[in-house]
Amino acid sequence: MKRIFSGVKPTGHLTLGNYLGAVRRWVEVDQHRADALFSVADLHALTVEHDPARVRRLSRQAATLLLAAGLDAERCTLFVQSHVDEHTRLSYLLECTATDGEMRRMIQYREKAARERARGGSVRLSLLTYPVLMAADILAYGTDEVPVGDDQAQHVELTRDVAVRFNRRYGHTFTVPRATLPAVAARVMDLQDPSSKMGKSHGSGAGAVCLLDEPDVVRRKVMRAVTDGAPDVVYDREARPGLANLLELLAACQGADGSGEGAAGPEALAAAYRSYGDLKRDVAEAVVELLRPLRARHAELAADPGYVDGVLRRGAERARERARPVVDRAYRAVGLLPAV
Ligand code: TYM
């Protein structure tokens, strides 16, 4: 059976970008067609300055939201990364496989390190090695497919390179995975700054719709979205990025199957609008309706933390069972003496 792995990092409240770029497909497609594992990647949240209590809170919230969005603990494995030691065990072996140059070329590292330095802060070593930990997350499970948004595609490419190199050097050990991206909304942009992606952890928050935002907050954020000077409604990602983002959001919200197939694409939608005002109103309502059931289910689940804990405990057990043999095999392959 095909194996799927993906994750979210609890560095902030999950956004519409996370949902449309990744989570919705996990729920609607991936958990039904494969042995699928989804992780709250809490170790990744330590690569930048963090408040321990907040990381703990956001980790629980992310797990609760993933269940609220529709991950079914009977169908897939949901767990917290730090509950399964195999990730860090394997990460070290991959640090001995990847190169310094490869790490420094990663776009996310370059952007985040530059931001950190501009603030006068220091850059944690783990920010540089983060893609190797992510490769370990993926390779530990013999993963075939990694459903992610566009911003993570480079990290999955690196994972492939590292897997191929390891296999060539030490004999076949890892499945070589591939990234799968959504047809629409692979990169949802910030509503206030359409040149950067909608992210959990940067900006004022005015440009990012969080999954738990109240309907009126969603409406306000969408209605205030930055659009472009020209009055007509056309889909042009290069010349009219703010407008293109709204059209893509609408297309994605209307896509019934999570891949956007079967729904009108952003070009076709553009033809149906004469003014920004109408488009924004429709986007706002589409997003509010998309998030409504998720918010309601989150409120129910948040009232029952014992249930969420149980799901995460069973998830970690299942994840360990799957990762252990792969990581043990990798330890033997590189020449480490097995413990007796
Ligand atoms: P993270 O937490 O930044 O994002 C989680 C998922 O959401 C997607 N995404 C977006 N998609 C479209 N538009 C956006 N604006 C947007 N923002 C985020 C991301 O591409 C991702 O699929 N390092 C990963 C978490 C991780 C992981 C893994 C993923 C850890 N280990 C192993 C896959 C496999 C991260 O920071 O995702």
Side-chain angles (χ1 to χ4, degrees):
M1 195 182 201
K2 191 171 280 189
R3 187 66 60 79
I4 287 182
F5 182 95
S6 200
V8 292
K9 186 175 61 188
T11 43
H13 299 288
L14 294 196
T15 69
L16 191 58
N18 298 130
Y19 183 71
L20 295 177
V23 174
R24 182 163 68 159
R25 275 181 303 146
W26 305 351
V27 168
E28 293 182 3
V29 187
D30 297 326
Q31 67 174 342
H32 302 287
R33 69 184 178 97
D35 181 19
L37 297 106
F38 303 106
S39 183
V40 176
D42 54 350
L43 296 171
H44 289 273
L46 313 186
T47 55
V48 288
E49 206 172 303
H50 69 280
D51 168 20
R54 183 163 187 264
V55 168
R56 207 172 294 129
R57 214 169 43 244
L58 289 173
S59 296
R60 177 179 287 284
Q61 188 190 73
T64 310
L65 268 172
L66 293 179
L67 290 170
L71 285 188
D72 176 351
E74 303 299 318
R75 283 190 180 278
C76 69
T77 301
L78 173 64
F79 70 103
V80 174
Q81 181 192 31
S82 66
H83 294 178
V84 179
D85 293 341
E86 269 50 48
H87 296 246
T88 47
R89 273 183 83 213
L90 181 56
S91 184
Y92 181 71
L93 294 199
L94 301 184
E95 281 186 27
C96 301
T97 309
T99 67
D100 167 66
E102 278 172 324
M103 296 298 104
R104 291 185 195 281
R105 276 198 293 279
M106 293 293 114
I107 291 164
Q108 285 216 344
Y109 168 72
R110 292 158 75 117
E111 286 177 355
K112 286 186 184 168
R115 255 203 313 271
E116 204 59 51
R117 289 196 184 100
R119 278 209 304 252
S122 53
V123 177
R124 296 183 181 187
L125 181 57
S126 55
L127 188 66
L128 182 64
T129 57
Y130 163 123
V132 164
L133 178 59
M134 182 164 153
D137 299 340
I138 296 167
L139 298 182
Y141 295 95
T143 302
D144 299 288
E145 288 181 19
V146 189
V148 284
D150 185 55
D151 64 313
Q152 294 298 328
Q154 192 187 31
H155 292 158
V156 180
E157 270 309 301
L158 174 87
T159 303
R160 290 170 62 85
D161 292 346
V162 170
V164 168
R165 191 175 312 148
F166 190 103
N167 287 347
R168 205 179 295 133
R169 246 181 229 165
Y170 305 112
H172 183 79
T173 308
F174 298 123
T175 305
V176 179
R178 68 182 184 92
T180 59
L181 303 186
V184 194
R187 182 175 283 265
V188 176
M189 307 310 275
D190 188 281
L191 298 174
Q192 288 299 312
D193 173 12
S195 67
S196 52
K197 73 162 186 173
M198 184 183 285
K200 304 181 206 93
S201 44
H202 52 88
S204 63
V209 173
C210 297
L211 300 185
L212 291 178
D213 278 345
E214 302 277 345
D216 278 347
V217 174
V218 173
R219 288 188 187 102
R220 199 162 53 238
K221 287 179 177 175
V222 174
M223 295 310 287
R224 290 188 184 159
V226 169
T227 42
D228 325 279
D232 54 335
V233 178
V234 290
Y235 178 69
D236 182 340
R237 224 167 196 274
E238 294 295 310
R240 314 281 293 278
L243 181 55
N245 194 37
L246 290 175
L247 290 164
E248 285 181 22
L249 276 177
L250 188 57
C253 287
Q254 293 177 350
D257 63 359
S259 67
E261 283 165 30
E267 285 103 345
L269 285 174
Y273 286 93
R274 294 228 141 59
S275 80
Y276 290 164
D278 289 345
L279 172 63
K280 284 182 173 177
R281 253 187 303 280
D282 284 357
V283 173
E285 288 319 308
V287 174
V288 165
E289 289 315 313
L290 186 75
L291 300 186
R292 190 185 299 285
L294 201 152
R295 278 166 42 79
R297 183 75 183 123
H298 177 269
E300 285 169 20
L301 287 166
D304 189 1
Y307 170 74
V308 178
D309 285 345
V311 167
L312 295 177
R313 193 172 47 248
R314 285 190 300 281
E317 280 163 17
R318 280 214 294 266
R320 256 181 242 120
E321 275 166 26
R322 285 161 171 71
R324 195 74 203 246
V326 179
V327 179
D328 282 350
R329 193 160 70 229
Y331 265 60
R332 283 195 300 278
V334 293
L336 298 172
L337 187 64
V340 281

